[in-house]
Amino acid sequence: MKRAKGIIAASLKQINSVLPSQSSTTNRSLLHSYQREFVKEFLVVMKKMNDEGCELEAAAYEGILRNLKKQKLTSVADAIVEFFEEKVKESANDSIVESVVSVVRESEWNEEVLGKLEEMDFSVSEDMLLKILRGIRGCPLKGLEFFRWVAEKRGFEHNAVTYNALLKVLGHEDSVGKFRDVVKEMKNVGYEIEFDTYVKLARQFHKGKLMKDGVELYELMMDGPYRPKVQDCCALLRQISMHPEPDISLAHRVVKKHESVGRSLTKAEYDGIHRCLASVGKFDEAGEIMETMKNAGYEPDNITYSQVVFGLCKAGRLEEARQMLDEMESKGCTPDLKTWTILIQGLCGAGDVDKALKCYTDMIGKNCQADADLMAVLVTGLCKFNKASTAYALAVEMIEQGHLRPWQATYKSLIQDLLAERKFEESIKLLRSMKRHNYPPFQVPFVQYVSKFGTVDDAKEYLKAITVKDYPSNSAYVNLFQAFFDEGRISEAQDLLYIYPQHIRNHRDIVKQVGLTKNPVIASA
């Protein structure tokens, strides 16, 4: 029996790719066609059916068992019986879970909901409760009510696993008060927050109004048996620094707790503290941290200086931010692309795009090559201040001379801004460049522009630009024709039909549209 179960278990781990997807009927035929020497393959097909949700009909199931026993494969038959009995049980439990989740989620927790739950005949297992709690995530307070209900009405005894599952449900802004209460309750009955739970909760807490709760959770975990990793301290400090208004006291609490368990600060942690201070404009204190870093054997590097540059830009002290790069060089730390990007982004954000372009020129002069991120920063900054033509010229230069591959979003944004300024030729050139970089054709703004302002020649140019093989897609032709028609440009729509290939002129959507119009010219095109 154990050997047969082992065969099933082994087959479960291997073969998703052994057989192609089959219909339920085909799989049943395969199951009937096995021989003794193909037991393993038989189990593969059975597993494949199970994965694809194909149920084995009773008649087929009984026939298979008879054949197994006839070939004296009794142990395999017994294992399969047990396997399918477990599947039947799981299916019944899943049905109960769906019913319970539906009842709990459909309305507020009230006497009606309680009445429906009382009427349902089921016993609660740990696995079932976990599935139900997962099903009602997004309704944290209902999850808590159900958690209490199964203990009170069904006599279920909660354990560390179910408490941790509840914490994941409650770890949201609108239920954080209940979350704290349950944590205290857990501690009182001797259960701990597991590390996996901490990781999931940390993702939810390390943002917005829950940052303080994230720090409290970190402190709690550091005092327990499942301490966060060293890098979790760095991640938390980074999240604090990225907040629009960083709370320095939270950063100090994180560092204090980190050191309280005998851990010394690494370069990453020093940078985390420094980032928080620079972000809120506490440059004197940030300077003191830099000195402490040096004394601890960590020389300030591009990361450290970039944080000062970011803080100065955020504080509007742009000239000092630019001077910081010169100071870096004087101390033997050459500014890297990230540092230049932070400075240029700060200048663009402040509207000083001319200085941003000057810094870009300085950067290139120092043999520091741009990347797609910096290109996006410059293009976005220029377009924001109505300099789409300058952004276009810069983009072409960076693509053709710098051999850059822009982000798809950069292409799209710049094309839209150029078309808004009626710069069709420039936009088409970028569309061709997109195609060379294997991005899908960006059609919507061109269709809108050409149908409203363009000529038939513009339409031909656009269709040529999006052609990958012999012709653009059928939908490209149809959409362009429809757009001209919707704009009331009937004459241009007629001219388009003359240049369209025959298979497009006979396309059912175009035939239908032409048939609907009363214009005799269109109708005869």
Side-chain angles (χ1 to χ4, degrees), residues 158-174:
H158 290 296
N159 55 33
V161 174
T162 57
Y163 267 110
N164 274 270
L166 178 63
L167 290 184
K168 294 172 188 175
V169 174
L170 293 175
H172 298 277
E173 185 177 338
D174 56 351

Side-chain angles (χ1 to χ4, degrees), residues 308-324:
V308 179
V309 173
F310 174 79
L312 289 169
C313 288
K314 185 178 177 182
R317 295 161 64 171
L318 302 176
E319 192 60 40
E320 292 176 67
R322 176 64 185 88
Q323 292 170 1
M324 180 57 64

Side-chain angles (χ1 to χ4, degrees), residues 451-482:
S451 64
K452 192 168 186 176
F453 305 110
T455 64
V456 173
D457 285 339
D458 290 336
K460 291 168 63 177
E461 192 73 14
Y462 158 68
L463 290 169
K464 182 179 178 181
I466 64 172
T467 299
V468 177
K469 295 182 180 179
D470 295 330
Y471 296 104
S473 66
N474 289 359
S475 62
Y477 283 111
V478 174
N479 291 340
L480 189 57
F481 175 81
Q482 181 68 53

Side-chain angles (χ1 to χ4, degrees), residues 36 65-73:
R36 171 184 289 274
L65 290 181
R66 282 196 301 271
N67 289 339
L68 286 169
K69 290 175 181 178
K70 185 183 297 184
Q71 297 191 48
K72 301 187 186 301
L73 294 170

Side-chain angles (χ1 to χ4, degrees), residues 424-425 428 449-464 477 480-481 484 489-500:
F424 178 74
E425 289 301 323
I428 283 290
Y449 175 86
V450 173
S451 64
K452 192 168 186 176
F453 305 110
T455 64
V456 173
D457 285 339
D458 290 336
K460 291 168 63 177
E461 192 73 14
Y462 158 68
L463 290 169
K464 182 179 178 181
Y477 283 111
L480 189 57
F481 175 81
F484 268 98
R489 301 180 69 185
I490 305 301
S491 175
E492 289 83 353
Q494 174 199 8
D495 292 340
L496 276 177
L497 281 184
Y498 283 127
I499 68 170
Y500 279 2

